[in-house]
Amino acid sequence: MKEVFTLIKEQIQNIGIIFRISRYEDKAEYQSHYLGLVWEYLYPLIQIGIYWVVFGVGLKHGSSTHGVGYLPWMVIGITPWFFMNRAVLDASKSIYERVGMVSKMKFPVSVLPTIKVVSNLTTFWTMLVFTILIGLLNKVYPAVSWFEWIYYFICMIAWLIAFGIFNSTISVLVRDYRILLQSVMRMLFYLSGVLFNFETNAFPAPMVRILQLNPFFYVINGFRQAMFGEGHFWQQGTLTIVFWGFVLFFLLVGSHLHYKFRSRFVDLI
């Protein structure tokens, strides 16, 4: 637990650095493109359009899900997924890409995954506003349950930081890990309930219970339940305990490995 407290302390002490570098990376990534940061928002919108046409119009023939139109149902799920997917992959290579630079100065390497998480938040907020507009157009109006987004946002950030410190360290120790992680994230895209609802009679009950244990599903489903007023987070006692168990596990293992091998990162790379 000592490593966990040290990790959290470094994040808090360097919060200013985290936000400054994340803003710089936002501008630097697309500075050579004609549309610049517009691609941050254009690419997700193109993807949403494709998935809606294929899964919403083509396969579902425009039918609703739980009495809600497929488009708002899908968009509220795909918004946190786009953010989490990119944050996970970016954080996994954060130390690998920057360890040479930070080795020449006094810099808390543990904040590098967090910087990647924060740098993707701008797109998330924009997509969330877009989601609300889609909901309003489909007669999904603001409700008290929307305040539960605050809880699920905290869950999402906690999970990404814990998973990020683990992935970024393992990526340095095992070169092939990033390739494996990319494949796993592609698989989880379909197993996290982003595009279709697996909580139906079409799936065996044991399979549904296993898929519900996925931390990404917990966040995605939580955002949906809050938007459509289908339940509250305190009603999901077992899933909540499992989710925070995942967060604690990856935080403990990730922070331990990080501080154990941090002095050797340059040599390992």
Side-chain angles (χ1 to χ4, degrees):
M1 286 296 292
K2 182 179 179 181
E3 291 98 338
V4 174
F5 289 120
T6 302
L7 178 73
I8 295 174
K9 182 180 178 181
E10 287 186 346
Q11 310 305 307
I12 296 174
Q13 289 178 337
N14 296 279
I15 191 71
I17 294 176
I18 291 173
F19 279 96
R20 284 196 298 271
I21 296 180
S22 65
R23 285 197 298 268
Y24 169 77
E25 290 193 345
D26 277 344
K27 297 177 181 178
E29 184 171 358
Y30 293 99
Q31 65 179 355
S32 61
H33 297 74
Y34 289 113
L35 295 180
L37 288 173
V38 174
W39 284 111
E40 285 276 349
Y41 316 109
L42 188 59
Y43 177 74
L45 293 178
I46 293 173
Q47 292 293 100
I48 288 174
I50 293 173
Y51 293 136
W52 177 65
V53 170
V54 174
F55 292 93
V57 179
L59 297 181
K60 293 180 68 66
H61 305 291
S63 59
S64 62
T65 303
H66 288 303
V68 179
Y70 181 75
L71 181 59
W73 184 90
M74 180 196 68
V75 171
I76 188 58
I78 210 169
T79 294
W81 169 260
F82 275 148
F83 170 63
M84 290 189 290
N85 179 64
R86 183 164 180 179
V88 166
L89 297 179
D90 286 352
S92 69
K93 59 184 179 181
S94 59
I95 294 178
Y96 182 88
E97 290 180 339
R98 294 295 182 86
V99 71
M101 178 191 72
V102 300
S103 64
K104 302 175 183 177
M105 61 185 75
K106 187 177 180 180
F107 189 88
V109 183
S110 65
V111 306
L112 291 176
T114 306
I115 289 172
K116 292 296 184 179
V117 173
V118 174
S119 66
N120 285 290
L121 274 176
T122 303
T123 308
F124 172 76
W125 294 126
T126 304
M127 290 297 299
L128 189 60
V129 171
F130 174 74
T131 297
I132 293 174
L133 292 176
I134 291 294
L136 293 175
L137 292 174
N138 286 269
K139 299 181 180 180
V140 179
Y141 301 114
V144 176
S145 61
W146 285 22
F147 284 105
E148 293 185 34
W149 280 345
I150 299 174
Y151 166 74
Y152 288 108
F153 177 77
I154 294 172
C155 290
M156 183 169 62
I157 297 300
W159 166 242
L160 290 176
I161 292 175
F163 201 38
I165 197 68
F166 175 84
N167 290 330
S168 60
T169 302
I170 299 298
S171 295
V172 174
L173 302 178
V174 183
R175 294 292 182 88
D176 295 334
Y177 180 75
R178 284 183 297 158
I179 299 175
L180 173 64
L181 182 63
Q182 290 175 352
S183 300
V184 170
M185 293 302 292
R186 291 193 192 101
M187 178 181 66
L188 287 175
F189 175 64
Y190 296 99
L191 298 180
S192 300
V194 179
L195 297 179
F196 58 89
N197 179 26
F198 57 72
E199 296 179 302
T200 62
N201 295 330
F203 290 83
M207 180 183 294
V208 172
R209 285 194 289 270
I210 293 174
L211 293 176
Q212 287 175 334
L213 300 179
N214 174 4
F216 293 99
F217 168 79
Y218 181 81
V219 174
I220 292 169
N221 189 59
F223 271 90
R224 281 194 178 122
Q225 287 187 337
M227 183 171 192
F228 304 127
E230 297 175 345
H232 305 286
F233 66 86
W234 57 82
Q235 296 173 329
Q236 304 184 72
T238 302
L239 293 182
T240 299
I241 293 173
V242 171
F243 172 81
W244 287 107
F246 271 112
V247 173
L248 183 60
F249 171 79
F250 281 101
L251 196 58
L252 286 169
V253 176
S255 59
H256 174 71
L257 293 175
H258 177 85
Y259 290 108
K260 180 178 180 179
F261 293 101
R262 183 157 73 173
S263 60
R264 297 171 53 193
F265 280 162
V266 177
D267 297 330
L268 290 170
I269 292 177

